[in-house]
Structures are given as structure tokens and as C-alpha cells.
Amino acid sequence: MLYISTFTFGGGFVIITFMKKKFVDELHWIDETEMLDLTALAQSSPGAIAVNAAILVGWRVAGFPGMAVAVLATIIPPMVILSVISFFYAAFAANTYVAMVLKGMQAGVAAVILDVVVGLGANVVKTKSIIHLAIMAAAFIATFVYGVNVIYIILGAAAIGILLAMYDRKRKEERQ
């Protein structure tokens, strides 16, 4: 997490991509479906998504010690970097080259976020569930077209998820 947090620029969704590559693809500590679930929980919880994801992944992998180490490793690099930047803010703010570098980084960050969206969306498509596809499409339209607050979308999707889980549970009980 220290390495990931040190070399990740662009916000929480970018760090989620790197966490997936490290913990799912390389180390195989958690599977892709679980990472998707943890990402949804991290996004829907108050606070920074990177810290929330570190809490959840750290807890899942190594319990309380894993959570503590993951959170510390996630927050130390930004704290150090922001402390240095704030100390030299006047010089950074007026520098044309720094402004150009930041503009270039924005394009890279957009590409990384697009990679996350395509990857997570592909997982939903792979389920071949009409309900999941409808929820994904409705959430996109609600936020992109109508500007609905993400909180309402998350609460609505959570309510639908609860209803689906209750329905599945009832069907399983009836089969037995």
C-alpha cells in the first residue's frame, strides 16, 4: 500500500485500479468479485475512497493489523507530499512547467479511471443478469444525463440489492 499510495496520482479511483492489479491479479489475495464488492463499500462509505478501500482490503487480508498497516501506508505518502507542496506552494503555483505537468497528469488520470470503469462494467456484463445490467444503465443515465446525486443512486442500488438478496433467500428456502 505504501508503494501504491506513493506513486498514485489522481484520486481514489486511480488507487483502486492499482490495488486490484496488486492484490487480485498479482498476489491473488482476494478475487475480482470481492474487490468489486469492497470498492462499492469503500465508495459508499463516508471519507476518502482510497483510505476506505485500504481499511477494507487490509481487514480482509490480515484482520486488524492488516487494516492498521494498510491505512498508515495509504495516508503517509500524501501527507508528506502535500506538506512539501504546501511549504513551496507559492513557487509551484506560479511555475508554468508545473502547470503543464499537472495538465498532462490529468489526461493520464482520466485514462486510468476509464480503465477502472471498463473493467468493473465488464464484470457486470459478464454476470449476464438483466437486473444488474439495468441497474448499471439506470445509474449511468441518472448521474450522467439527469445529474442525480451519487448518494441517491447508491441508496437505490443498495435497496434493490437487499430486495434481490431477500428474494433469492426466499426462493432457496422454498426449494428445501
Side-chain angles (χ1 to χ4, degrees), residues 131-155:
I131 295 172
H132 293 148
L133 291 171
I135 292 170
M136 183 174 71
F140 175 77
I141 291 168
T143 189
F144 189 74
V145 176
Y146 297 108
V148 175
N149 189 316
V150 172
I151 298 298
Y152 299 126
I153 295 169
I154 290 169
L155 291 173

PDB file of all heavy atoms in Angstrom, residues 131-155:
ATOM      1  N   ILE A 131     -31.132  -7.724 -14.567  1.00  0.00           N
ATOM      2  CA  ILE A 131     -31.333  -6.783 -13.463  1.00  0.00           C
ATOM      3  C   ILE A 131     -30.065  -5.978 -13.207  1.00  0.00           C
ATOM      4  O   ILE A 131     -30.115  -4.752 -13.069  1.00  0.00           O
ATOM      5  CB  ILE A 131     -31.789  -7.525 -12.183  1.00  0.00           C
ATOM      6  CG1 ILE A 131     -33.167  -8.137 -12.415  1.00  0.00           C
ATOM      7  CG2 ILE A 131     -31.802  -6.596 -10.984  1.00  0.00           C
ATOM      8  CD1 ILE A 131     -33.642  -9.047 -11.312  1.00  0.00           C
ATOM      9  N   HIS A 132     -28.914  -6.643 -13.151  1.00  0.00           N
ATOM     10  CA  HIS A 132     -27.655  -5.932 -12.898  1.00  0.00           C
ATOM     11  C   HIS A 132     -27.330  -4.976 -14.034  1.00  0.00           C
ATOM     12  O   HIS A 132     -26.865  -3.844 -13.796  1.00  0.00           O
ATOM     13  CB  HIS A 132     -26.510  -6.920 -12.690  1.00  0.00           C
ATOM     14  CG  HIS A 132     -26.644  -7.724 -11.445  1.00  0.00           C
ATOM     15  ND1 HIS A 132     -26.190  -9.012 -11.349  1.00  0.00           N
ATOM     16  CD2 HIS A 132     -27.192  -7.443 -10.235  1.00  0.00           C
ATOM     17  CE1 HIS A 132     -26.447  -9.480 -10.143  1.00  0.00           C
ATOM     18  NE2 HIS A 132     -27.056  -8.543  -9.448  1.00  0.00           N
ATOM     19  N   LEU A 133     -27.564  -5.391 -15.258  1.00  0.00           N
ATOM     20  CA  LEU A 133     -27.326  -4.512 -16.404  1.00  0.00           C
ATOM     21  C   LEU A 133     -28.267  -3.305 -16.365  1.00  0.00           C
ATOM     22  O   LEU A 133     -27.856  -2.176 -16.662  1.00  0.00           O
ATOM     23  CB  LEU A 133     -27.502  -5.284 -17.711  1.00  0.00           C
ATOM     24  CG  LEU A 133     -26.436  -6.348 -17.997  1.00  0.00           C
ATOM     25  CD1 LEU A 133     -26.830  -7.188 -19.207  1.00  0.00           C
ATOM     26  CD2 LEU A 133     -25.080  -5.706 -18.210  1.00  0.00           C
ATOM     27  N   ALA A 134     -29.522  -3.544 -15.991  1.00  0.00           N
ATOM     28  CA  ALA A 134     -30.490  -2.446 -15.896  1.00  0.00           C
ATOM     29  C   ALA A 134     -30.088  -1.455 -14.799  1.00  0.00           C
ATOM     30  O   ALA A 134     -30.188  -0.234 -14.998  1.00  0.00           O
ATOM     31  CB  ALA A 134     -31.884  -3.004 -15.631  1.00  0.00           C
ATOM     32  N   ILE A 135     -29.625  -1.972 -13.665  1.00  0.00           N
ATOM     33  CA  ILE A 135     -29.179  -1.092 -12.577  1.00  0.00           C
ATOM     34  C   ILE A 135     -27.996  -0.254 -13.033  1.00  0.00           C
ATOM     35  O   ILE A 135     -27.939   0.956 -12.793  1.00  0.00           O
ATOM     36  CB  ILE A 135     -28.825  -1.912 -11.311  1.00  0.00           C
ATOM     37  CG1 ILE A 135     -30.083  -2.533 -10.708  1.00  0.00           C
ATOM     38  CG2 ILE A 135     -28.119  -1.035 -10.277  1.00  0.00           C
ATOM     39  CD1 ILE A 135     -29.789  -3.548  -9.615  1.00  0.00           C
ATOM     40  N   MET A 136     -27.037  -0.905 -13.717  1.00  0.00           N
ATOM     41  CA  MET A 136     -25.859  -0.181 -14.198  1.00  0.00           C
ATOM     42  C   MET A 136     -26.270   0.905 -15.195  1.00  0.00           C
ATOM     43  O   MET A 136     -25.824   2.052 -15.086  1.00  0.00           O
ATOM     44  CB  MET A 136     -24.858  -1.145 -14.841  1.00  0.00           C
ATOM     45  CG  MET A 136     -23.576  -0.470 -15.285  1.00  0.00           C
ATOM     46  SD  MET A 136     -22.316  -1.608 -15.878  1.00  0.00           S
ATOM     47  CE  MET A 136     -23.004  -2.142 -17.435  1.00  0.00           C
ATOM     48  N   ALA A 137     -27.129   0.573 -16.140  1.00  0.00           N
ATOM     49  CA  ALA A 137     -27.576   1.551 -17.142  1.00  0.00           C
ATOM     50  C   ALA A 137     -28.371   2.681 -16.483  1.00  0.00           C
ATOM     51  O   ALA A 137     -28.165   3.861 -16.803  1.00  0.00           O
ATOM     52  CB  ALA A 137     -28.417   0.850 -18.207  1.00  0.00           C
ATOM     53  N   ALA A 138     -29.253   2.335 -15.567  1.00  0.00           N
ATOM     54  CA  ALA A 138     -30.058   3.352 -14.888  1.00  0.00           C
ATOM     55  C   ALA A 138     -29.177   4.281 -14.054  1.00  0.00           C
ATOM     56  O   ALA A 138     -29.399   5.505 -14.032  1.00  0.00           O
ATOM     57  CB  ALA A 138     -31.116   2.689 -14.011  1.00  0.00           C
ATOM     58  N   ALA A 139     -28.192   3.720 -13.385  1.00  0.00           N
ATOM     59  CA  ALA A 139     -27.286   4.546 -12.579  1.00  0.00           C
ATOM     60  C   ALA A 139     -26.495   5.504 -13.465  1.00  0.00           C
ATOM     61  O   ALA A 139     -26.331   6.684 -13.135  1.00  0.00           O
ATOM     62  CB  ALA A 139     -26.333   3.657 -11.784  1.00  0.00           C
ATOM     63  N   PHE A 140     -26.029   5.013 -14.595  1.00  0.00           N
ATOM     64  CA  PHE A 140     -25.289   5.868 -15.522  1.00  0.00           C
ATOM     65  C   PHE A 140     -26.175   7.002 -16.032  1.00  0.00           C
ATOM     66  O   PHE A 140     -25.779   8.169 -16.017  1.00  0.00           O
ATOM     67  CB  PHE A 140     -24.740   5.053 -16.699  1.00  0.00           C
ATOM     68  CG  PHE A 140     -24.081   5.908 -17.748  1.00  0.00           C
ATOM     69  CD1 PHE A 140     -22.813   6.416 -17.540  1.00  0.00           C
ATOM     70  CD2 PHE A 140     -24.743   6.225 -18.913  1.00  0.00           C
ATOM     71  CE1 PHE A 140     -22.207   7.223 -18.483  1.00  0.00           C
ATOM     72  CE2 PHE A 140     -24.159   7.034 -19.871  1.00  0.00           C
ATOM     73  CZ  PHE A 140     -22.886   7.537 -19.663  1.00  0.00           C
ATOM     74  N   ILE A 141     -27.373   6.657 -16.486  1.00  0.00           N
ATOM     75  CA  ILE A 141     -28.290   7.671 -17.027  1.00  0.00           C
ATOM     76  C   ILE A 141     -28.673   8.674 -15.941  1.00  0.00           C
ATOM     77  O   ILE A 141     -28.699   9.889 -16.184  1.00  0.00           O
ATOM     78  CB  ILE A 141     -29.536   6.997 -17.639  1.00  0.00           C
ATOM     79  CG1 ILE A 141     -29.136   6.236 -18.908  1.00  0.00           C
ATOM     80  CG2 ILE A 141     -30.626   8.020 -17.946  1.00  0.00           C
ATOM     81  CD1 ILE A 141     -30.198   5.293 -19.443  1.00  0.00           C
ATOM     82  N   ALA A 142     -28.941   8.172 -14.743  1.00  0.00           N
ATOM     83  CA  ALA A 142     -29.338   9.062 -13.644  1.00  0.00           C
ATOM     84  C   ALA A 142     -28.248  10.081 -13.330  1.00  0.00           C
ATOM     85  O   ALA A 142     -28.536  11.264 -13.139  1.00  0.00           O
ATOM     86  CB  ALA A 142     -29.672   8.244 -12.398  1.00  0.00           C
ATOM     87  N   THR A 143     -27.013   9.637 -13.287  1.00  0.00           N
ATOM     88  CA  THR A 143     -25.942  10.563 -12.927  1.00  0.00           C
ATOM     89  C   THR A 143     -25.473  11.395 -14.108  1.00  0.00           C
ATOM     90  O   THR A 143     -25.264  12.604 -13.985  1.00  0.00           O
ATOM     91  CB  THR A 143     -24.763   9.823 -12.258  1.00  0.00           C
ATOM     92  OG1 THR A 143     -23.862  10.792 -11.750  1.00  0.00           O
ATOM     93  CG2 THR A 143     -24.018   8.951 -13.207  1.00  0.00           C
ATOM     94  N   PHE A 144     -25.324  10.789 -15.279  1.00  0.00           N
ATOM     95  CA  PHE A 144     -24.755  11.497 -16.424  1.00  0.00           C
ATOM     96  C   PHE A 144     -25.769  12.416 -17.095  1.00  0.00           C
ATOM     97  O   PHE A 144     -25.453  13.548 -17.424  1.00  0.00           O
ATOM     98  CB  PHE A 144     -24.193  10.489 -17.433  1.00  0.00           C
ATOM     99  CG  PHE A 144     -23.399  11.113 -18.538  1.00  0.00           C
ATOM    100  CD1 PHE A 144     -22.128  11.606 -18.309  1.00  0.00           C
ATOM    101  CD2 PHE A 144     -23.929  11.222 -19.816  1.00  0.00           C
ATOM    102  CE1 PHE A 144     -21.394  12.195 -19.319  1.00  0.00           C
ATOM    103  CE2 PHE A 144     -23.211  11.809 -20.836  1.00  0.00           C
ATOM    104  CZ  PHE A 144     -21.943  12.298 -20.594  1.00  0.00           C
ATOM    105  N   VAL A 145     -26.982  11.930 -17.297  1.00  0.00           N
ATOM    106  CA  VAL A 145     -27.993  12.705 -18.011  1.00  0.00           C
ATOM    107  C   VAL A 145     -28.754  13.646 -17.077  1.00  0.00           C
ATOM    108  O   VAL A 145     -28.940  14.818 -17.375  1.00  0.00           O
ATOM    109  CB  VAL A 145     -28.979  11.769 -18.759  1.00  0.00           C
ATOM    110  CG1 VAL A 145     -30.101  12.560 -19.418  1.00  0.00           C
ATOM    111  CG2 VAL A 145     -28.237  10.934 -19.795  1.00  0.00           C
ATOM    112  N   TYR A 146     -29.189  13.109 -15.935  1.00  0.00           N
ATOM    113  CA  TYR A 146     -30.048  13.885 -15.050  1.00  0.00           C
ATOM    114  C   TYR A 146     -29.324  14.520 -13.865  1.00  0.00           C
ATOM    115  O   TYR A 146     -29.927  15.263 -13.099  1.00  0.00           O
ATOM    116  CB  TYR A 146     -31.202  13.012 -14.541  1.00  0.00           C
ATOM    117  CG  TYR A 146     -32.100  12.554 -15.669  1.00  0.00           C
ATOM    118  CD1 TYR A 146     -32.100  11.231 -16.086  1.00  0.00           C
ATOM    119  CD2 TYR A 146     -32.929  13.450 -16.329  1.00  0.00           C
ATOM    120  CE1 TYR A 146     -32.913  10.811 -17.125  1.00  0.00           C
ATOM    121  CE2 TYR A 146     -33.745  13.044 -17.368  1.00  0.00           C
ATOM    122  CZ  TYR A 146     -33.735  11.729 -17.773  1.00  0.00           C
ATOM    123  OH  TYR A 146     -34.531  11.321 -18.796  1.00  0.00           O
ATOM    124  N   GLY A 147     -28.066  14.203 -13.669  1.00  0.00           N
ATOM    125  CA  GLY A 147     -27.290  14.817 -12.591  1.00  0.00           C
ATOM    126  C   GLY A 147     -27.744  14.429 -11.194  1.00  0.00           C
ATOM    127  O   GLY A 147     -27.576  15.193 -10.252  1.00  0.00           O
ATOM    128  N   VAL A 148     -28.310  13.230 -11.049  1.00  0.00           N
ATOM    129  CA  VAL A 148     -28.765  12.760  -9.748  1.00  0.00           C
ATOM    130  C   VAL A 148     -27.547  12.565  -8.831  1.00  0.00           C
ATOM    131  O   VAL A 148     -26.516  12.038  -9.255  1.00  0.00           O
ATOM    132  CB  VAL A 148     -29.558  11.435  -9.894  1.00  0.00           C
ATOM    133  CG1 VAL A 148     -29.939  10.873  -8.537  1.00  0.00           C
ATOM    134  CG2 VAL A 148     -30.795  11.654 -10.744  1.00  0.00           C
ATOM    135  N   ASN A 149     -27.684  12.973  -7.602  1.00  0.00           N
ATOM    136  CA  ASN A 149     -26.613  12.832  -6.621  1.00  0.00           C
ATOM    137  C   ASN A 149     -26.258  11.348  -6.440  1.00  0.00           C
ATOM    138  O   ASN A 149     -27.147  10.497  -6.345  1.00  0.00           O
ATOM    139  CB  ASN A 149     -27.072  13.433  -5.286  1.00  0.00           C
ATOM    140  CG  ASN A 149     -25.959  13.517  -4.272  1.00  0.00           C
ATOM    141  OD1 ASN A 149     -25.180  12.596  -4.090  1.00  0.00           O
ATOM    142  ND2 ASN A 149     -25.898  14.655  -3.596  1.00  0.00           N
ATOM    143  N   VAL A 150     -24.980  11.066  -6.377  1.00  0.00           N
ATOM    144  CA  VAL A 150     -24.488   9.695  -6.268  1.00  0.00           C
ATOM    145  C   VAL A 150     -25.034   8.995  -5.023  1.00  0.00           C
ATOM    146  O   VAL A 150     -25.273   7.787  -5.046  1.00  0.00           O
ATOM    147  CB  VAL A 150     -22.939   9.686  -6.266  1.00  0.00           C
ATOM    148  CG1 VAL A 150     -22.393   8.323  -5.951  1.00  0.00           C
ATOM    149  CG2 VAL A 150     -22.413  10.170  -7.593  1.00  0.00           C
ATOM    150  N   ILE A 151     -25.255   9.722  -3.962  1.00  0.00           N
ATOM    151  CA  ILE A 151     -25.784   9.132  -2.733  1.00  0.00           C
ATOM    152  C   ILE A 151     -27.129   8.453  -3.000  1.00  0.00           C
ATOM    153  O   ILE A 151     -27.377   7.336  -2.554  1.00  0.00           O
ATOM    154  CB  ILE A 151     -25.955  10.202  -1.627  1.00  0.00           C
ATOM    155  CG1 ILE A 151     -24.618  10.827  -1.252  1.00  0.00           C
ATOM    156  CG2 ILE A 151     -26.648   9.619  -0.402  1.00  0.00           C
ATOM    157  CD1 ILE A 151     -23.612   9.873  -0.682  1.00  0.00           C
ATOM    158  N   TYR A 152     -27.992   9.127  -3.752  1.00  0.00           N
ATOM    159  CA  TYR A 152     -29.306   8.556  -4.059  1.00  0.00           C
ATOM    160  C   TYR A 152     -29.176   7.306  -4.928  1.00  0.00           C
ATOM    161  O   TYR A 152     -29.924   6.341  -4.762  1.00  0.00           O
ATOM    162  CB  TYR A 152     -30.210   9.586  -4.730  1.00  0.00           C
ATOM    163  CG  TYR A 152     -30.470  10.792  -3.854  1.00  0.00           C
ATOM    164  CD1 TYR A 152     -30.216  12.072  -4.316  1.00  0.00           C
ATOM    165  CD2 TYR A 152     -30.956  10.647  -2.562  1.00  0.00           C
ATOM    166  CE1 TYR A 152     -30.447  13.172  -3.509  1.00  0.00           C
ATOM    167  CE2 TYR A 152     -31.183  11.740  -1.752  1.00  0.00           C
ATOM    168  CZ  TYR A 152     -30.929  13.003  -2.229  1.00  0.00           C
ATOM    169  OH  TYR A 152     -31.157  14.085  -1.430  1.00  0.00           O
ATOM    170  N   ILE A 153     -28.230   7.345  -5.843  1.00  0.00           N
ATOM    171  CA  ILE A 153     -28.006   6.188  -6.705  1.00  0.00           C
ATOM    172  C   ILE A 153     -27.506   5.002  -5.888  1.00  0.00           C
ATOM    173  O   ILE A 153     -27.981   3.877  -6.041  1.00  0.00           O
ATOM    174  CB  ILE A 153     -27.018   6.544  -7.837  1.00  0.00           C
ATOM    175  CG1 ILE A 153     -27.654   7.596  -8.755  1.00  0.00           C
ATOM    176  CG2 ILE A 153     -26.608   5.308  -8.630  1.00  0.00           C
ATOM    177  CD1 ILE A 153     -26.701   8.222  -9.730  1.00  0.00           C
ATOM    178  N   ILE A 154     -26.582   5.262  -4.988  1.00  0.00           N
ATOM    179  CA  ILE A 154     -26.043   4.198  -4.138  1.00  0.00           C
ATOM    180  C   ILE A 154     -27.149   3.634  -3.238  1.00  0.00           C
ATOM    181  O   ILE A 154     -27.281   2.415  -3.097  1.00  0.00           O
ATOM    182  CB  ILE A 154     -24.861   4.719  -3.298  1.00  0.00           C
ATOM    183  CG1 ILE A 154     -23.664   4.991  -4.214  1.00  0.00           C
ATOM    184  CG2 ILE A 154     -24.478   3.732  -2.195  1.00  0.00           C
ATOM    185  CD1 ILE A 154     -22.538   5.746  -3.543  1.00  0.00           C
ATOM    186  N   LEU A 155     -27.931   4.508  -2.632  1.00  0.00           N
ATOM    187  CA  LEU A 155     -29.017   4.040  -1.762  1.00  0.00           C
ATOM    188  C   LEU A 155     -30.050   3.229  -2.545  1.00  0.00           C
ATOM    189  O   LEU A 155     -30.525   2.191  -2.074  1.00  0.00           O
ATOM    190  CB  LEU A 155     -29.681   5.221  -1.051  1.00  0.00           C
ATOM    191  CG  LEU A 155     -28.838   5.933   0.002  1.00  0.00           C
ATOM    192  CD1 LEU A 155     -29.563   7.189   0.514  1.00  0.00           C
ATOM    193  CD2 LEU A 155     -28.508   5.000   1.149  1.00  0.00           C
TER     194      LEU A 155
END
